[in-house]
Amino acid sequence: MATPPCSPHSDLASMASPKQGPIPFADTHGDTNLVSSPEQRKEEHADVITALPSAWAADGLRKLRRYQGFWLRDIFVPAAINLQQRFEPRPDDVIVASFPKCGTTWLNALTFATMARAVYPPAGADHPLLRLNPHQCLPFLEALFKDGREAELEALPSPRLMNTHMPLPVVPRALPGCRVVYICRDPKDMVVSLWYFFRRLRPDLPFSSVFESTCDGKMSFGPVWGHVLGYWRAAIARPDKVLFLRYEELLRDPAGHVRRLAGFLGMPFSAAEEETGTVNSIVQLCSFGNLKDLEANKIGRLDPLLPIPRDALFRNGASGDWVNHMTPEMASRLDDIVAEKIRGTGFTFNL
Ligand code: PAP
């Protein structure tokens, strides 16, 4: 087996203990005491929150607040403040970060399956991803810090694997404190995906609402260009700490990117694993076709914050669907807005 130097993950054999992370978060949470109640959290920061500029999200159901250059659902502002003040990364932590609708569910699944492969062989009949939605396997940082549930995070064995949609300035200690895997996607496909998602709550929602809110940046965790640029710049500055992935590239070559991911995490696939097809097993386990047909992903709702059926996370699983929803003029308008915002940075969405 190839062994990376000085890596906390270098000894795969040491992962064989069930107390070794990452473990499915859904199997653990709820056992520990709150740091403070959600109500206390809201009161603690009420002055700050009410002084922030506000707007309504495209679905007309969520109030947004502009916090440090980003629009957050007002219930997530206390989470942002507490993440900035209290999140204590461990050096072997891994955070999956993304803008919503850019491939989070897939990357959560791939990263969990890759990191946990010694304890949960990806071809195994009892793999957690066969009974849990990928989001249930990873703690969602903003939900925990919103509700004062940090102790649940503290209780997790190392290495921990976590998920966030927060922009990088909201998790400042993540770098260089731990490792981050980020995924971006063509904003035009993100808009389409988000519209279908919101329509599960508001079936009459016009496409133009989501489109316009993307163009003016007033959307949950937006603007999308600021979100992506923050992580992209960090990946340029610290490629050892941030792996920057693209949904479209992952679609083109999932196996190649799983190998890249494993290398970045300091746990490359051994010759024996290559020979027995571990990479392909992970790709297959986490594939759109496999996940979308599992009971865990067809039945139930995402969580109390999002009373949307889980199947909403598995709609189309392809790139370029925007052509079926936007006129060429709309597409050029969004492309031009984004191009203007990222001009001079060296970043481009279109490779
Ligand atoms: P989230 O932000 O609510 O977690 P996220 O998972 O980032 O959502 O995005 C959902 C998109 O990823 C959906 O895209 P679509 O609407 O264009 O179809 C969903 O289909 C896609 N997706 C989910 N799982 C997979 C997968 N295993 N492979 C490829 N695409 C996937």
Side-chain angles (χ1 to χ4, degrees):
M1 180 170 74
T3 306
C6 306
S7 162
H9 305 293
S10 60
D11 184 3
L12 272 185
S14 72
M15 294 174 58
S17 150
K19 290 287 173 212
Q20 184 81 26
I23 54 177
F25 186 60
D27 291 349
T28 69
H29 65 278
D31 300 331
T32 48
N33 293 324
L34 299 186
V35 171
S36 58
S37 71
E39 289 69 30
Q40 274 174 326
R41 280 276 155 98
K42 244 186 243 163
E43 272 171 28
E44 271 169 25
H45 302 296
D47 291 353
V48 179
I49 296 166
T50 48
L52 295 171
S54 65
W56 286 98
D59 62 3
L61 302 173
R62 304 145 195 247
K63 194 165 192 179
L64 305 176
R65 296 280 184 178
R66 192 167 167 85
Y67 179 73
Q68 299 185 353
F70 289 91
W71 290 95
L72 302 178
R73 277 181 78 179
D74 60 352
I75 58 163
F76 280 150
V77 178
I81 296 169
N82 283 297
L83 263 164
Q84 288 174 321
Q85 292 175 349
R86 302 179 193 199
F87 176 58
E88 298 287 351
R90 299 177 193 160
D92 56 1
D93 279 348
V94 177
I95 300 177
V96 172
S98 64
F99 196 80
K101 303 298 147 202
C102 292
T104 325
T105 310
W106 193 12
L107 190 57
N108 277 350
L110 288 170
T111 313
F112 180 84
T114 301
M115 283 180 73
R117 66 189 192 265
V119 177
Y120 302 112
D126 58 352
H127 197 282
L129 284 168
L130 297 176
R131 63 179 169 86
L132 296 170
N133 176 268
H135 285 274
Q136 293 178 285
C137 290
L138 283 70
F140 188 45
L141 287 178
E142 37 273 52
L144 294 186
F145 281 81
K146 173 179 104 35
D147 291 346
R149 292 167 54 197
E150 293 93 303
E152 291 174 44
L153 211 53
E154 284 306 311
L156 291 175
S158 292
R160 300 181 298 184
L161 174 60
M162 298 160 277
N163 179 219
T164 189
H165 282 321
M166 286 291 188
L168 188 54
V170 172
V171 272
R173 294 186 205 168
L175 294 175
C178 64
R179 276 183 267 210
V180 175
V181 187
Y182 186 82
I183 187 159
C184 81
R185 187 182 194 186
D186 183 334
K188 300 191 292 302
D189 281 334
M190 179 276 292
V191 175
V192 172
S193 186
L194 191 60
W195 177 59
Y196 277 100
F197 190 73
F198 280 162
R199 286 210 319 171
R200 302 298 289 268
L201 285 176
R202 262 202 58 188
D204 61 338
L205 182 70
F207 181 74
S208 59
S209 297
V210 183
F211 180 79
E212 291 300 332
S213 70
T214 303
C215 288
D216 67 19
K218 277 188 193 162
M219 60 196 310
S220 203
F221 305 105
V224 63
W225 46 83
H227 200 283
V228 174
L229 277 181
Y231 284 98
W232 180 77
R233 286 189 173 116
I236 300 286
R238 292 298 304 261
D240 57 325
K241 292 287 178 183
V242 185
L243 179 64
F244 190 93
L245 301 173
R246 294 165 186 270
Y247 182 83
E248 296 77 12
E249 288 183 334
L250 218 52
L251 281 176
R252 276 196 290 271
D253 180 14
H257 284 86
V258 167
R259 288 191 183 92
R260 235 184 114 194
L261 176 65
F264 170 77
L265 296 172
M267 46 191 309
F269 294 98
S270 65
E273 285 182 306
E274 287 287 0
E275 210 162 290
T276 52
T278 306
V279 177
N280 286 337
S281 296
I282 291 174
V283 169
Q284 168 55 26
L285 173 67
C286 303
S287 68
F288 181 82
N290 185 52
L291 292 182
K292 94 173 171 17
D293 287 335
L294 297 172
E295 290 294 290
N297 296 321
K298 288 200 285 196
I299 292 169
R301 291 170 182 268
L302 288 177
D303 70 48
L305 276 180
L306 265 182
I308 296 180
R310 285 195 198 133
D311 67 0
L313 290 173
F314 306 92
R315 185 187 67 89
N316 192 29
S319 67
D321 193 27
W322 61 267
V323 296
N324 301 311
H325 299 82
M326 286 180 204
T327 63
E329 292 73 28
M330 289 169 87
S332 302
R333 190 178 144 215
L334 181 51
D335 279 344
D336 290 349
I337 289 171
V338 172
E340 176 58 29
K341 299 291 183 187
I342 64 178
R343 192 147 54 118
T345 63
F347 175 73
T348 174
F349 277 99
N350 312 308
L351 285 185

